Amino acid sequence: MIEFRIDRRSGVATYQQLVNQTKHALRLGLLQPGDQLPTAKEVVAATSINPNTVLKAYRELEREGLVEGRRGMGTFVSASLAQPDPTELREELAAWMGRARAEGLDREYVEALVKAQLDEHYEGEGR
Amino acid sequence: MTWVAWRQQRFQVLLSIGIVAVLAAVMAFVRFDALSLGGNEALIDERYGTYLNYLRLVLIALPVLLGMFAGAPLFAREIEHGTHVFGLTQSIGRTRWWATKIAVAGIPVVIAMTVLGLVNAWSSAPLQAVMFGGRLATPTFEIQGLTLGAYTLLTFTLSAAIGLLMRNTLAAMVVTVVVYIPLLGAVANALRPGYGTPITSRYQDIPRDAWVVESSYVDAAGNQVSFSPAGCTASINDCLTAGGVVQQVAYQPDDRFWSFQAIEAGLFAVLAVALLGVGAWALHRRLRLA
Amino acid sequence: MTTIALDATALTMRYRRGWGLRDCTFQLPTGRISALIGPNGAGKSTLMRIATGLLRPTGGSIEVLGEAPGKRGTNRKLAFLAQDKPLYKGFTVEEMLKAGAKLNPDWDSGYARRLVREADVPFDAKVGTLSGGQRTRIALAIALGRRPELVMLDEPLADLDPIARQEVMQSLLAEVAETGMTVLLSSHVIADLDGVCDHLLLLADGRVQLHGDVDDLLTQHRILIGSRELVLPDGVVEARTTGRQATVLARTTDVPGWDNTEPSLEELALAYLRSTKKVAA
């Protein structure tokens, strides 16, 4: 079971936070197909958010094919987001980081570079 | 709603009934004890003179006290505490809320006081001989028979209506006292003597316990004359005879007691109904609940 | 079944001194949690009291779930929790529940008792001895015991400590999640309502200043930051300048040349409230 944390100051829409946290848990394998998501009542009782927001987030996850609602029973995980470990890519990135460091780029500059590339390649896919 | 009103008012109602019950018990004892004295007026006066004085005080005050303490807070305190908002936002109508509270708080007290008046009429019968002025005169008329209940009904409906209008318990009590006392005096002095046509006779001929409502001096021809006993050198009677003047009185005989009681109780009941109308009007038109 | 919880047309309430509501027209949808926001004296309580039938408007009309407030008490599908949470002080919690049962034919005793148990308040406690939070929970249990389709709460969190605020809000929202009832919640503390409400009714000075779905309203507005030399777009709600910089809240889509961000509920509401205050001043 997953427990949601809502950060009201993040600027990210509340329902999006629920979607992101669910996906994060799916990616890390904390949620697996067949697992149940907390009911709307459980979520709002823990987080003081609007129940409609929870339903909206669950509908979004359902639309993406990640979960499915079973009438009278709850919402269950139906797909996995765990990805194959990209060993090769990770090694290439590590090598790139090493070069950046050797050339004297500071941390903030590297972060800005990476973020700019992320924004370009993953445009419109959320933060 | 009846249960809710009873739960809210029960202390008040039970306390009032308790006070009345104690007084009724004392009255019953007094009757039997006074009867055992076998009509000896001197003994009765000696034993019960003080009792009668206190009883008059208590019974004059009791209708306004019980009526006011039941009526003034009935709505005013709810409004002061905001709890009328609870009562009026449930599934019962405003009129039922009002009427139930009136009935639960008012009816037991009014009935108890009416019973007390009747008990006092019964208890005071053997003491009548030592009371001054007969049963029709103030304050005896006010404290036995039907009047106690009628006065209580009036002070209760008056303070309840004022409480609803003024939304303040203390103000409702003050207004009740300020209105009730002059009203009682005005009724006793201006209206009660006219409940029946008085009987006219010579002063010497009035029956025992009659209530003299008017007195004048007339000459042999029946014309009113002015006569001042202050100018007499002999006894007043000699003076009167010498001048050919007779003291003439108009009186209400004692046997009209119960019909007068009924008239006065009816009068106060009509006033009380009018006050209930004012309360109902205030409930629907004036009760600002913001 | 109607989809409009509250339907007001030119609703007006004139008091002996001044206005309570002036010509308010709006509709609140069912199945939502609507925020009624406005400064003290904006007409929030007046609006709720008209809907319950406690007050009669001096003009216009209102329908509660399709019915005009009548004389037979408050609409059975509507529950109201007044700001001071009026309960009979001398009653025990048990007696208060009994009063709820006696005054409401559709009373759900099991449900009300469950809510009291969840609030952890003893049934034999006198209402007068309860803390603010407990009192609010009991008042809420009695309001919900009527099994309303619409519940209106007037400043339910005012004068509660932070933990009680959270508990009251969580228990309310949990019941909303379970029953799907419609809620109208007033507050002058906007932060209390952020994330909770999905519909907004902003009152100031007795008038409706802003009204609609919260997400829609937020996407329809922008906070613009840029040079004060820039041309202002249409739909400016509030503009402030500091030095060379201008900060503008406007009802608009992205405006080129400015730094565009969507406002938060609090920023949006405050901008509207400040702007009406300036007009009135």
Side-chain angles (χ1 to χ4, degrees):
Chain A
M1 188 72 96
I2 179 173
E3 203 171 287
F4 294 110
R5 252 194 76 251
I6 302 302
D7 181 358
R8 288 178 202 273
R9 262 163 238 88
S10 67
V12 180
T14 310
Y15 94 93
Q16 193 64 52
Q17 292 188 37
L18 297 178
V19 170
N20 292 351
Q21 286 173 28
T22 309
K23 285 185 181 170
H24 189 70
L26 285 169
R27 267 184 219 108
L28 295 180
L30 297 175
L31 279 178
Q32 308 233 335
D35 285 356
Q36 188 178 5
L37 292 183
T39 64
K41 183 174 177 177
E42 286 163 347
V43 176
V44 301
T47 57
S48 305
I49 59 168
N50 190 315
N52 292 330
T53 307
V54 184
L55 299 178
K56 185 174 173 184
Y58 284 8
R59 269 201 307 276
E60 174 71 22
L61 290 166
E62 207 166 335
R63 205 176 52 76
E64 293 182 26
L66 299 174
V67 303
E68 65 182 17
R70 290 182 210 150
R71 197 168 262 280
M73 296 184 62
T75 307
F76 293 84
V77 176
S78 55
S80 171
L81 274 182
Q83 292 172 3
D85 189 24
T87 316
E88 199 178 329
L89 283 171
R90 181 153 19 110
E91 279 167 5
E92 279 178 36
L93 185 60
W96 183 87
M97 285 284 174
R99 286 215 325 270
R101 176 103 201 248
E103 298 207 1
L105 301 184
D106 65 15
R107 187 189 173 100
E108 280 79 17
Y109 190 76
V110 171
E111 272 176 4
L113 274 181
V114 171
K115 182 163 186 304
Q117 289 299 313
L118 277 174
D119 286 347
E120 196 179 318
H121 289 278
Y122 291 89
E123 201 187 336
E125 291 186 25
R127 276 174 261 193
Chain B
M1 183 62 205
T2 312
W3 179 83
V4 177
W6 165 245
R7 174 60 189 82
Q8 284 184 282
Q9 307 298 331
R10 67 183 183 194
F11 176 74
Q12 183 90 50
V13 170
L14 292 176
L15 182 67
S16 300
I17 291 177
I19 291 172
V20 167
V22 168
L23 287 171
V26 170
M27 288 171 185
F29 169 79
V30 167
R31 177 182 163 97
F32 292 119
D33 190 55
L35 282 177
S36 74
L37 298 177
N40 183 331
E41 291 189 15
L43 260 180
I44 292 174
D45 193 32
E46 190 192 319
R47 193 172 290 179
Y48 287 112
T50 318
Y51 161 80
L52 282 172
N53 285 337
Y54 281 117
L55 186 71
R56 283 181 195 125
L57 270 180
V58 169
L59 291 186
I60 286 287
L62 204 56
V64 68
L65 286 180
L66 292 191
M68 189 168 79
F69 278 103
L74 190 59
F75 301 108
R77 180 155 305 149
E78 284 228 28
I79 295 171
E80 283 164 358
H81 291 180
T83 49
H84 63 304
V85 170
F86 175 79
L88 293 174
T89 51
Q90 309 301 312
S91 306
I92 63 158
R94 195 175 280 206
T95 307
R96 199 171 133 209
W97 173 79
W98 171 81
T100 311
K101 284 176 73 71
I102 290 269
V104 169
I107 290 174
V109 179
V110 171
I111 289 179
M113 286 296 278
T114 307
V115 169
L116 187 68
L118 296 173
V119 170
N120 194 32
W122 169 75
S123 154
S124 299
L127 306 179
Q128 197 57 51
V130 301
M131 283 193 219
F132 174 76
R135 288 190 294 171
L136 287 166
T138 301
T140 312
F141 186 82
E142 282 89 345
I143 62 170
Q144 47 176 276
L146 302 170
T147 48
L148 274 186
Y151 297 161
T152 309
L153 178 64
L154 180 94
T155 55
F156 170 73
T157 51
L158 177 65
S159 57
I162 300 292
L164 200 50
L165 276 168
M166 298 185 69
R167 316 165 57 114
N168 182 310
T169 307
L170 195 62
M173 289 187 174
V174 171
V175 171
T176 302
V177 171
V178 166
V179 171
Y180 172 70
I181 291 174
L183 175 74
L184 199 60
V187 168
N189 290 302
L191 298 182
R192 198 180 304 149
Y195 287 169
T197 315
I199 298 167
T200 307
S201 81
R202 293 200 309 152
Y203 181 74
Q204 289 80 351
D205 300 337
I206 54 175
R208 186 184 160 89
D209 288 339
W211 181 37
V212 175
V213 296
E214 210 186 323
S215 162
S216 59
Y217 296 99
V218 293
D219 60 16
N223 300 315
Q224 270 201 11
V225 294
S226 71
F227 171 80
S228 168
C232 287
T233 47
S235 80
I236 294 176
N237 268 338
D238 292 346
C239 251
L240 286 169
T241 322
V245 175
V246 177
Q247 187 182 5
Q248 182 179 283
V249 292
Y251 69 87
Q252 301 286 3
D254 181 69
D255 60 14
R256 292 185 182 171
F257 176 76
W258 286 106
S259 68
F260 275 32
Q261 282 278 327
I263 292 169
E264 182 140 328
L267 180 70
F268 275 81
V270 168
L271 282 175
V273 169
L275 285 165
L276 287 176
V278 170
W281 172 81
L283 177 77
H284 287 288
R285 301 272 154 215
R286 292 294 309 280
L287 188 53
R288 272 284 162 75
L289 297 152
Chain C
M1 203 183 124
T2 173
T3 56
I4 307 296
L6 282 187
D7 189 349
T9 312
L11 192 65
T12 300
M13 184 76 207
R14 214 201 149 111
Y15 291 117
R16 217 170 294 165
R17 50 184 80 175
W19 299 87
L21 292 174
R22 277 196 268 186
D23 207 21
C24 291
T25 299
F26 62 86
Q27 294 184 328
L28 295 185
T30 53
R32 301 292 210 91
I33 301 181
S34 296
L36 180 55
I37 293 181
N40 291 329
K44 305 190 295 287
S45 296
T46 301
L47 173 62
M48 288 190 175
R49 281 163 189 246
I50 289 174
T52 57
L54 283 171
L55 282 175
R56 220 163 325 164
T58 49
S61 65
I62 190 164
E63 283 192 356
V64 180
L65 296 160
E67 278 176 48
K71 288 184 173 176
R72 299 237 175 114
T74 295
N75 188 321
R76 286 196 188 174
K77 298 179 209 151
L78 166 65
F80 173 55
L81 186 55
Q83 186 172 353
D84 49 1
K85 290 106 190 177
L87 298 173
Y88 303 123
K89 283 205 179 70
F91 282 36
T92 63
V93 171
E94 183 79 57
E95 287 170 329
M96 225 34 247
L97 289 171
K98 188 170 176 189
K102 295 280 181 188
L103 297 176
N104 296 288
D106 306 327
W107 184 255
D108 186 339
S109 174
Y111 181 51
R113 298 182 77 86
R114 194 196 86 203
L115 290 173
V116 172
R117 271 194 298 275
E118 283 174 3
D120 234 359
V121 179
F123 284 88
D124 56 359
K126 277 254 197 302
V127 168
T129 65
L130 300 179
S131 70
Q134 290 176 320
R135 200 178 149 89
T136 306
R137 295 287 294 271
I138 298 304
L140 188 62
I142 290 169
L144 297 186
R146 310 178 74 203
R147 282 288 185 190
E149 287 174 25
L150 166 62
V151 59
M152 295 194 311
L153 305 102
D154 193 1
E155 300 271 5
L157 305 180
D159 49 72
L160 294 186
D161 63 62
I163 291 178
R165 289 167 102 86
Q166 195 191 20
E167 285 175 355
V168 167
M169 200 48 120
Q170 286 175 353
S171 73
L172 171 69
L173 291 171
E175 296 320 308
V176 172
E178 191 167 271
T179 61
M181 63 190 157
T182 308
V183 179
L184 177 64
L185 196 61
S186 83
S187 181
H188 62 278
V189 184
I190 301 156
D192 280 348
L193 304 177
D194 202 1
V196 171
C197 297
D198 50 18
H199 198 90
L200 174 68
L201 180 62
L202 191 80
L203 282 183
D205 225 7
R207 294 184 195 275
V208 176
Q209 307 291 346
L210 185 64
H211 157 237
D213 180 90
V214 170
D215 285 344
D216 290 351
L217 289 174
L218 294 180
T219 51
Q220 286 162 9
H221 288 79
R222 291 288 182 282
I223 293 178
L224 308 171
I225 299 174
S227 159
R228 63 185 297 175
E229 313 291 321
L230 288 167
V231 181
L232 291 176
D234 289 339
V236 171
V237 176
E238 187 195 37
R240 282 180 296 172
T241 52
T242 41
R244 276 186 221 95
Q245 184 182 294
T247 306
V248 178
L249 190 136
R251 187 163 204 152
T252 177
T253 50
D254 282 355
V255 185
W258 295 80
D259 183 8
N260 293 276
T261 43
E262 261 186 34
S264 70
L265 178 65
E266 185 160 13
E267 287 167 323
L268 179 71
L270 285 177
Y272 271 88
L273 292 176
R274 276 194 301 258
S275 71
T276 57
K277 213 168 163 188
K278 272 177 204 147
V279 173

